[in-house]
Each structure stands twice: as structure tokens, then as C-alpha cells.
Amino acid sequence: MIYFNSWAISTLICSIFTFIIFAFLAALKKKANYTSAFSLLFFFVFLINFGFFISAIFPYPTASYHRLVTGPAAVFGTIFLCIFAYLYPRNDRSKETKYVIGILLGISLITISYSYLQIFTNKPIFDFKGQIYNYQQKVGNLLAASLLAFLLVMIFIQVRKIIRADKDERKALVQMSIGMDITYTVPVVSNLLLREGVITFNTFQQLYVGFMILGYFTLTILFINNTVDKTSFMTKIIGITVATCLVFAQAFSTVVNLKNESLFDEISIKEAQTFLNTGKSEGSSIAYAVSLGDSSNKPKILIKSTGIEPNLILAQKEILENRKAGNFLKRTPTTNIPKISSADYVPSPNDLFYSYYLRDEIGERTLLIAFPYLHYRKFLDETNSWLVFLTLSLVFVILVLFPFFFNRSLVRPLNTLIQGVGEVNLGNLTIRIPVLVQDEIGYLSESFNKMVGSILEGRTKLEEYADTLEEKVDARTKEVTEKMEEIHSLKVQQDGDYFLTSLLSKPLMTNWNRSSLVTTNFYIEQKKKFVFKNKESEIGGDICISGNLLFGSEKERWSVFLNGDAMGKSMQGAGGAIVLGTAMNNIMARSASQGKVLNISPEDWVREAYRELDDIFRTFDGVMMASAVLGLINERTGKMYYFNAEHPWAVLLRDGKASFLEKELTLRKLGSPSEMSFRILEFDLKPGDILYIGSDGRDDINLTEDGTNWIMNSDENMFLKTVEDSKGDLDRLVDRIHSLGALSDDLSLIRIGFHEKLSPNITESKTSIPESVLRKYTEAKALLQQREIGTAVVLLEEALHSVPSFKAAARLLGQVYYDRKEYDPSSRWFEKYLELDSDSPNVWFLLSVCYKHLKEYAKSSQAAEKVRSSQPHRLANLINLADNYRLLGRFEEARSILEAAESIDGENPGVRKLDELLKSKGY
């Protein structure tokens, strides 16, 4: 006889659910290996649920043998979890996979064999709370421990993959891993707790069903959304509909069973009270009734059904226990073990009862009134069998009728539209697809027909135009010649505008910071290069500014820094940089003029500066915007207040490890409408910390291996590694950025050092340079920031006279003469530096430019070749090298180098000018 209860319906729903998913995944064609593993996983989970279902509907001792199926299925299912973890999204450790899975299979065979031995050497027991024949809790404990161990192996595999995955794969891996871990961890752990006697089987059932249905529903959705296997739209609709209906069916059956159990108690208690009051049991379901007087030790059988012989010894014991506990009118499980039975006797369903205890105060006695357990199951089955029928019918309707219903309204129109797209891809522009339904898909079909008609009309006109092309070419040639002459005159005018703009923008990029405790260094390289009247220059939207302010009565000194990037190319970006520079220098002039002490807090100053800059840019109505980082640093404490208006995140170098200061976007660009409220960011710098603020150019790098196929860098962490490799040296950082590939945007960097033991560009050990020499070097840098160049040069030359190996001083002195266009002394100091440290492409480049201005073209070429060996995509160096070869008469080499430059930026004015010069020589 079959009886359905809540546990039976739950496991049936789980069985249907997992089998449908298994069938769906197994039916996929050309599926990935991880999908095959996932489908087999669901097959084993189906076996587990089906085994539980069989044990629930048959309330007989033989149902306990479900463990022969559920145990191995659980073990092999968990192994396939590990296989899936290895394979998804790809297997990078095939050899390790074979060894690990082989070991797990060996362990599983041992645990399954031991589990079978326990099953055949122990007798089953009946668990009233779980309403199932099962074994003692110790049976299967080793298997439960193995499941947990296998699960931990899977989690280890997942965590390792997540750590090593790239950004695109990590999101899918995290989602799938969390879904699998939540779905499996609770049932596996609760199974182990059940075997150890910590929880009851009823508690295990509730945890298992809850996490099985909701967990697998979530896991299936995650898998469908992240798999690369081809699935149909209809399959997704049906699958999600079935899963949703089954979840609601489970919830509904749980509520109905709780109501029916309460109703069973209500009816049984009424029958028991009627028997107590009348002594009659006709029409009731009472199996037997036993009474025990308060002053008697001998229980008395009041009534019993045919074939039932109450065990009075057990009845007396139970009456005394429940009377003492006051357990009256509550359903209590009772096992009526026959008087003559062995110690390992397995009770049959006819020995199982639900009892209610009643007090007879008049008769001074306690009654035990028992109802057959099978009667209880039959009572629940009357409703549950209908629930099962309705659930199966619902699944049948969805699986069979849904495809039929949606075929005409959804599937056929979509397939027709897809076929039409395929015909157009093959060149058939006369295709017209029928509009089968007047809905969204019908609208798409009509739009598709109109689009194809427009393309056909355009192609027809193009063919007509091609027939008269030769006649139009002659007329156009004359027109183009006239336009080219006009464009040339405009180009000269444009370059003049560029040159004037560059002259306006350079004075705005001021490094006025005079603090010896908070040092600032700039590097600015604009992308747009041009030549005007034989003068090379550049313009762009990047800008750097620094300075100092005094706050409060204590006159605390704070260092100001700003790194900005105005949006737009060439003139538009340069215009934005001029606006930002002018506004910021004006703010600094008002705040720091003549030793002014500000009576507002640093936070308020940053807030007011943001508002003023943002208001200025907002007046352009979105035509001009800028990203920026503006901040203040207390030169004594290292406290930093700043804001980041949609600029690349600041990078901190601390103890040789680089990291981002920000983790999320907090503010939109200056002049941009924003949904975010202004927020000041805070950070505490420690002595020795180095901070880098930079524009997009630090990340926008074209990477290449063969010099022809360019790939834009997409690794946001590449700059962190570059900062670490540079070991705090700004020149070395710029060199390494150039060595990665070709810059595709303006590049500006501010290096901020806080309480460094040595000056930021000094790489020599402190013990090798006397303190007096270091002080001269530091003082010279401060004087350079104050434009007192003559005194600074004297101090640097004195430092080098004292310590000729002081390469940082040589580097700085060479840069000073270079900026003053005194190329002869500049080249000597750069040569001195390179004698001490030959691995500096940036210095080699500057030396090459010096040699070129001195007309030492051979030396200039050799220095430029040094740069090209480590930075083959540095455009300025390629142009410089090609021009040197041209001046040396090595035209073929010059053309070869120029072709490499053209592959990076063929529209660069320097490239185009060189191209014209080489063509005039026949190359």
C-alpha cells in the first residue's frame, strides 16, 4: 500500500525537478565538458531524491534499503561537483584533475563498501519524527564524513580558480561557486550532524528540502545565465516555469499537511473524549485503550481491536511518564512491541500507533488511547494523493502543452526572423519574412523588412553611381586640388593656433610646492605633437599644479596638488586645461598670496575649491568637462583630504607594495550632471609613503607582440605592477610605461613623497652621500621650484664636485640645462649620469635630442637606438631616430623606422612631414 505524506511530496518534487534539469542538460548538443559533468551531477541527485521518495511512500521496514541507492548517489554526485569545479569554465590542471578524482573514487568505494556492511549487519528502526524506516545514526557516519571532505575539496578548487581568474571570468565563477556552496553545504553538514546524533531526522528533512528546491532553482538560473552552451529560448521559459511551479507546489503542500495534521489531532481527540465520556468506541478509529488508576500498579485494557494485543508493561511505563510530564491531549508516538520479541525486533507498521493521554478526574485514572499509525497516514494520503496528481498534471501541462502553445506565437516567428537574418548575411536582399503575430516580434519582423528594403535601395543607388564614377572623378580631382591648397593654408593657421595655445597653457602648469617634507614631481606628455615654423611643441588636456597653504592659528602648512584631464582632443582638451589651470591658479593666488593664513578648515577649502571649479565648468553646458584629483596634505602629520572627480584612482606605494586608494567611483567629472553628492575622501600617509596621481594615459596603452596587431590594455592592475617595478623613481616609472607599448592618450603623473629619508630621485644609499651634500641637493630642488635657477645650478655643481658619483644631481642638472635649451652642458651631464646608470631610456632619449640639436647625428642615432631596444613603440623616439637617419643620408633605414611610427600614429605631423621629406628623396 502506498501512502503520501509531506516528505513524500517534497522528495517527489525534488525528483521531478532534478530529473528535468538532467534531461535538459543531457539533451544539449555539442555541449561543453563541464555541462556533461553538471548533467551527471543532477542525475545522481535525482537518484538521491527518488530513493527518499520510495522510502517515504512505503511505511514498511524494507523501505530502509533506500540507503543502498541514496548513499552511493550522494558520494558520486559530490565527486562530480569536484569534476565540475575543475572543468568550469575550463580545466587548467588536467593532470591534477586525474589524480585527485582518482583518489576521491578510491575513497568513495571504500566508504560505500563500509556503508553496505553497516546496512546488512544492522536492523532498521522506525523514526516517528521523520515518518520513515531508517537505521541508527551511526550507520553511514563514515560516508557522511567523506561527503564533507569531498565538499571541502570542491571549495578549495573554486577558491583557487577565483583568485587566479581574470576580471571577466571571476564574476561568473563567484556566482556559480556561491550557488553550489550554499546548495550543498547545508544538506551535507546536516547529514553529518544527523549521523552524530546532534539533530533529528525531521530537522534534516526540513533543511534538505528547503535548500534542495531553492538552492537548485537558483543554481540552475545561474548556470543558464553563465554557460556558453547553446540553449533555446523555449527551453529557458519552460525550465524556469516548471521550477517556479514546483517551488510553489512545495510551499502549498507544506501548508496543507500542517493543516491536515492539526485536523487529525482535533478529530482523534474528540473521539478519545467521547470514548472517555461514554465508554463506547463505535464509529471511531481507536485501536486500543488502556487505563491506569492513580492508586493502582496494574493497567487495564478498556478496548482493543481485533488482532491487536497491547503490551501492558510498555503501556504502564508510558502512562506514568506522560502523566508525570503533564503530556495530555497531545499526539505522542507509541510502538507496541509484542511481549515475546527479540532485542533487535523490527516493528511492523501494525505495531506503530499515535496515542493521546486523557485524565479522568472522577475515576482518578489516566487513559492511553491509541490510533493506528497507518490510519494517520491514510488520513493524510486522502489529500496528498490529490496534491501529487495535481503536481504531476501541472508538470505535464507545462512540458507538453507549453511548447504547443508558444510554437506559433513565439518560436516560429523567432525562427523565421533568424532565417531572414541568415539570408541577408548570404547577400539575399530580396527576402521578406511574413508577419505572423502583431506583437513585439511582429514589430521586429516589420522593422527587419523595412531595413532590408532600405539596404537594397541604397545598393541600387550605389550601383547607379558606380556607372557614372569615371566622369565624376575628373570633376572631383579638380575640386580636391583646389581644396588641398585651401586646406594647406588652413593647416598653417591651425598650427599657429596650436602653438599659441601651448604658450598659454605651459605657464599654468606650476610646481610651486616648496615643502621639503612633502615633495612633488611632475611628468607631462601630451599626445598631440605639431611643428610650427620649425618649432616642435605639443598640446593636450592634461595639467599638473602644486603649491602650499597655511591654515589656522597654528599656521599649519599643507601641500596642495592637482592632476586634471580636460575632455576632448587637441584644441578642445587644451582649452579645458587652460580653463582648469587658470581657475586653479586663481584659487591658489587668493588662498596663499603674501603668506596669507586661512581661517577655514582644510576640508572646507577642498569643498569650496570643488564647488568653484565645478561651477566654472558647468557654465559650458556639457561642452567642456574635466576629470581631476585635488587634495591637501598636512606636511607634519600626513593627513590628506582630497576628492576624485571621475579620474583614475590614486596609487599608494608603501613598503614596495602598490595599491589603489579608492575602491569605487565617488564623484562625476567637473561640469558634469551628477547623481552623487560631494564627498571628501581622507587618508593618512606614513613616513616613506609615495603617492602617484595620473591621467588615463597611464593605462591607455596599445600593447603588441608583432608590431602590427594592436591591442588596447584592459588590465587595470598593470599600472600597480609598473609602480612597484619602478621602486619609487618617477623617471623609471615613465620609462617602464613607454616600454609596455605606444601611448594612446595624454600622460601626466604627479609623484608625491611624504617624509622620505632621501630625495625622491636619489637611488644611492644614504651612507654613500654625506648629509651636507644631500641638503644642497634638496635646497637646489626647492630653488628650482621658485625659479631661482642660477643659485640652484651652483648648489648642484658643488654637490657633484663633492660626490662625483651623485647621479641624481647629474640627472637634475642635465634636465635644468635641457629646459633652458643649453644642449651642450645638458649633454655632458646626461652623459655623466649614464656612466653611473646606463639603464634609463628616458635619459638616453633626452641625450639623443641634445646631440641632434648639436648636429652630432651619429651619436644621436646611437642614443635613440638605445631607447628603441627597450621602448620600441615610443613614437617621439621613432620620429627622432628616423629624422637622424635622414640627416645622415641613410634613407632606407629612415623609411623603415618611419613605417613603424606610421603604424602607431600615421596622422602625427612629424610623421607626415618626414614622409614628405623622404618621398622628395625618392624613398
Side-chain angles (χ1 to χ4, degrees), residues 17 20-21 24-25 28 34-35 38 42 84 88 172 175-176 216-241 243:
F17 183 49
I20 290 175
I21 298 175
F24 159 64
L25 295 176
L28 291 178
Y34 62 76
T35 304
F38 206 55
F42 273 94
F84 177 80
Y88 182 81
Q175 289 179 349
M176 288 298 299
Y216 272 104
F217 177 72
T218 304
L219 188 58
T220 303
I221 298 298
L222 290 174
F223 180 79
I224 290 176
N225 288 337
N226 289 300
T227 184
V228 297
D229 290 321
K230 185 178 180 181
T231 57
S232 68
F233 189 65
M234 176 58 67
T235 303
K236 292 180 180 179
I237 290 178
I238 294 174
I240 293 175
T241 304

Side-chain angles (χ1 to χ4, degrees), residues 119-156:
I119 290 172
F120 291 119
T121 55
N122 285 274
K123 296 290 184 179
I125 59 174
F126 185 77
D127 188 329
F128 267 102
K129 291 184 178 180
Q131 297 182 21
I132 187 175
Y133 276 96
N134 208 342
Y135 288 91
Q136 297 178 2
Q137 292 168 336
K138 67 177 182 178
V139 176
N141 52 2
L142 180 61
L143 189 143
S146 299
L147 292 178
L148 182 59
F150 291 0
L151 186 64
L152 293 176
V153 171
M154 178 200 72
I155 294 174
F156 171 78

Side-chain angles (χ1 to χ4, degrees), residues 525-713:
E525 181 179 344
Q526 310 288 13
K527 181 71 168 56
K528 180 65 177 178
K529 307 290 193 302
F530 64 92
V531 179
F532 179 71
K533 294 185 178 180
N534 296 322
K535 294 181 180 179
E536 297 180 359
S537 189
E538 60 184 20
I539 61 170
D542 280 14
I543 187 170
C544 297
I545 297 173
S546 71
N548 302 104
L549 297 176
L550 300 176
F551 286 91
S553 59
E554 301 293 328
K555 295 186 178 181
E556 283 195 314
R557 189 184 180 100
W558 293 68
S559 296
V560 185
F561 63 89
L562 176 135
N563 178 235
D565 182 4
M567 300 299 101
K569 299 296 183 182
S570 302
M571 288 294 289
Q572 184 182 2
I578 290 174
V579 171
L580 180 58
T582 303
M584 189 62 206
N585 278 281
N586 183 46
I587 293 172
M588 291 292 297
R590 293 200 316 266
S591 302
S593 61
Q594 300 179 353
K596 182 178 180 179
V597 178
L598 300 174
N599 293 323
I600 62 173
S601 66
E603 302 99 299
D604 288 339
W605 186 90
V606 173
R607 186 179 293 106
E608 291 301 322
Y610 166 76
R611 289 174 180 170
E612 183 170 343
L613 294 174
D614 188 52
D615 288 345
I616 290 172
F617 275 92
R618 281 182 182 271
T619 61
F620 294 101
D621 293 330
V623 176
M624 188 178 291
M625 295 182 289
S627 66
V629 174
L630 170 63
L632 289 171
I633 300 176
N634 188 308
E635 68 172 21
R636 181 178 57 84
T637 65
K639 187 69 176 181
M640 180 169 70
Y641 298 107
Y642 71 106
F643 68 79
N644 186 327
E646 209 169 338
H647 205 60
W649 294 340
V651 172
L652 173 71
L653 181 64
R654 175 178 289 174
D655 299 328
K657 183 68 176 176
S659 60
F660 291 119
L661 286 192
E662 299 98 56
K663 301 297 182 184
E664 61 182 356
L665 178 67
T666 58
L667 198 61
R668 294 294 180 190
K669 291 181 178 68
L670 298 174
S672 170
S674 177
E675 76 282 10
M676 302 175 179
S677 58
F678 177 75
R679 179 157 62 97
I680 293 180
L681 305 177
E682 299 182 24
F683 189 76
D684 293 312
L685 293 172
K686 295 182 179 179
D689 282 352
I690 298 173
L691 198 63
Y692 284 100
I693 315 293
S695 63
D696 290 331
R698 73 187 198 186
D699 298 311
D700 294 345
I701 302 172
N702 275 325
L703 311 175
T704 182
E705 294 181 358
D706 55 12
T708 56
N709 299 315
W710 295 93
I711 303 173
M712 185 63 71
N713 167 49

Side-chain angles (χ1 to χ4, degrees), residues 511-515 518-521 546 548 779-788 792:
N511 189 0
W512 289 113
N513 174 35
R514 300 178 182 179
S515 172
V518 179
T519 59
T520 53
N521 298 87
S546 71
N548 302 104
E779 186 178 349
K781 291 197 66 178
L783 289 170
L784 288 173
Q785 292 177 356
Q786 299 170 31
R787 299 293 191 271
E788 297 180 17

